[in-house]
Amino acid sequence: MRFTVIRLLMVVGMMLGTAPAFAEATAARNYALGQHGSLQLTVPASWKDKVSQPPNGLPPTILFVPENGAAFKVLLTPIWTDRSGAQLPVAAEIRKKVELAAEQAKVQVLDTALTVEEMKGSTGVGFHYTATDRTPTPGEFKRMDQGMLRVGDLLISFTILSQDGSDPVNRAAMAMLEGAVHSTKQTAPQGHAARPDALQITKTEQAYVLTVPASRLGLRIPHNGLSLTNSAIGGPTDNPRYFHFRDDVKQVIMSGWVESDQAFPGLQKIWADEVAVSKKNGLADAQHVAFGRLGNWETIAYERAVPNFTNTHLHAHWVQAGTWIDLHLSLTTNGSSQDARAKLESLLRAIVVSQKKP
């Protein structure tokens, strides 16, 4: 019998197998995540790793196995949010997802009284449970430790497969996870600055100035606590005209693209695509959807259900002089949706779009 690996937000295939570890020297390893920065892990020196990268910019799976000795497997999948800008699950939501996985595992485990326990990483919390296979067959693992851990802007889904709770791999893998770090530092992508179709971002004392040499429009975004970060998700975001800012204190995210106006399909088509993508990725349905206009911006405002918080989104589109600016703002707060929408609209009003002089 084989244990089932947790899947979250995106369908990420993971192949299960064999693996172990001993108390030993460790070494820092860095796993690049494209425009999502990198995942930094401190790994036992004898562990071998293999990164499986699915197509279309989906999250990779990192597999660790022993160089020699007793078999074990450790599988990690770093997951990020989709284009909608929705927030990663908070602690209570992570617990519920792990509890659901534990409930589903009961049909194949020896002791059905599975306990979900909290774990604390260097930058976030997570939850996990341990299960023992009721009827393991030759070549399969008897013990599984599975869970999810928030690491920076990532949610790490992990599975540790071994033969016994005393196997050193269990403690070593948990230490590796709890010390994981997500680096999101970003500058303009290498090789993009000199291209006429690439976004260039300049930081002044008061604002970020965004421009694409081939475009006739420029964009000025006041700092307001925003920092340039690296949270592209592949696909449409994996291009030289994508940008992403965030304010972790105010829980504000601002991202978008600068494109040709020929690519603008209209607000209704954009929203229909958004709904389809959200359903595909298992996101909660948008609530209180409102189409509107704010100056030259065409807007779509809505909320997504998040326990104990208000998660408000504002899509904004500016089409002028052969250029389409596609902007997405989101805010997570414990205030009302009306206040959240007002704050996002205030941020949008502060953005200055100007046409370049010939």
Side-chain angles (χ1 to χ4, degrees):
M1 179 185 68
R2 294 181 179 177
F3 288 110
T4 302
V5 175
I6 292 177
R7 296 166 187 257
L8 171 67
L9 298 179
M10 300 180 182
V11 178
V12 181
M14 303 182 193
M15 298 184 65
L16 304 185
T18 334
F22 303 86
E24 60 175 89
T26 58
R29 302 185 192 179
N30 192 65
Y31 298 90
L33 303 176
Q35 291 193 25
H36 305 283
S38 63
L39 178 63
Q40 300 169 357
L41 301 173
T42 301
V43 185
S46 69
W47 289 15
K48 297 190 298 183
D49 58 18
K50 179 181 179 181
V51 179
S52 298
Q53 179 63 65
N56 301 322
L58 292 175
T61 294
I62 306 169
L63 167 67
F64 296 98
V65 297
E67 191 170 37
N68 49 55
F72 69 77
K73 280 191 175 181
V74 179
L75 302 103
L76 312 180
T77 298
I79 301 169
W80 47 81
T81 56
D82 74 342
R83 176 182 170 175
S84 72
Q87 301 290 307
L88 286 171
V90 295
E93 295 173 300
I94 297 174
R95 174 184 274 278
K96 288 182 180 179
K97 291 179 182 296
V98 175
E99 286 176 342
L100 177 59
E103 185 68 26
Q104 294 172 340
K106 287 183 178 180
V107 298
Q108 59 189 50
V109 302
L110 183 63
D111 183 1
T112 58
L114 300 180
T115 301
V116 173
E117 299 181 352
E118 182 177 345
M119 59 187 294
K120 293 185 178 180
S122 60
T123 57
V125 300
F127 298 88
H128 70 110
Y129 69 93
T130 301
T132 301
D133 195 337
R134 184 191 308 139
T135 56
T137 58
E140 293 183 348
F141 294 101
K142 184 177 180 181
R143 184 183 188 277
M144 176 182 71
D145 195 333
Q146 187 172 74
M148 296 177 180
L149 173 67
R150 182 70 183 266
V151 178
D153 290 337
L154 301 172
L155 183 64
I156 307 298
S157 173
F158 66 87
T159 300
I160 305 167
L161 299 170
S162 63
Q163 297 300 344
D164 189 84
S166 63
D167 287 351
V169 61
N170 300 302
R171 183 176 299 176
M174 292 300 288
M176 177 182 70
L177 285 162
E178 290 170 350
V181 175
H182 178 214
S183 174
T184 60
K185 293 182 179 180
Q186 176 183 347
T187 56
Q190 292 185 358
H192 286 167
R195 292 172 48 180
D197 64 340
L199 179 67
Q200 298 178 7
I201 301 177
T202 303
K203 184 177 181 180
T204 68
E205 290 186 2
Q206 298 180 333
Y208 295 98
V209 178
L210 287 64
T211 182
V212 175
S215 168
R216 295 169 59 191
L217 295 184
L219 195 64
R220 185 179 182 276
I221 302 175
H223 291 164
N224 285 331
L226 293 170
S227 297
L228 180 64
T229 60
N230 189 2
S231 296
I233 61 165
T237 70
D238 191 12
N239 74 49
R241 294 174 300 282
Y242 175 72
F243 57 90
H244 189 283
F245 299 92
R246 68 184 301 129
D247 182 339
D248 289 328
V249 175
K250 299 176 184 176
Q251 289 293 294
V252 170
I253 294 177
M254 181 185 299
S255 61
W257 296 258
V258 178
E259 300 291 348
S260 165
D261 65 350
Q262 295 181 2
F264 180 62
L267 219 56
Q268 294 295 335
K269 178 64 166 59
I270 287 173
W271 183 244
D273 291 345
E274 187 72 34
V275 171
V277 169
S278 297
K279 288 184 177 180
K280 180 180 178 181
N281 291 329
L283 297 177
D285 290 341
Q287 301 174 348
H288 315 301
V289 180
F291 290 75
R293 178 176 286 275
L294 192 61
N296 285 343
W297 295 100
E298 292 186 74
T299 63
I300 310 172
Y302 61 94
E303 278 74 41
R304 290 195 189 277
V306 175
N308 304 318
F309 291 95
T310 299
N311 181 226
T312 298
H313 299 257
L314 181 65
H315 286 251
H317 303 271
W318 184 300
V319 180
Q320 178 188 355
T323 300
W324 166 32
I325 300 173
D326 179 355
L327 193 63
H328 187 143
L329 301 93
S330 68
L331 170 63
T332 301
T333 176
N334 55 9
S336 69
S337 59
Q338 291 85 354
D339 287 344
R341 291 193 182 195
K343 289 177 181 178
L344 292 182
E345 289 177 359
S346 178
L347 287 174
L348 186 61
R349 287 191 181 96
I351 296 174
V352 177
V353 178
S354 58
Q355 188 164 339
K356 300 174 185 176
K357 295 181 180 179

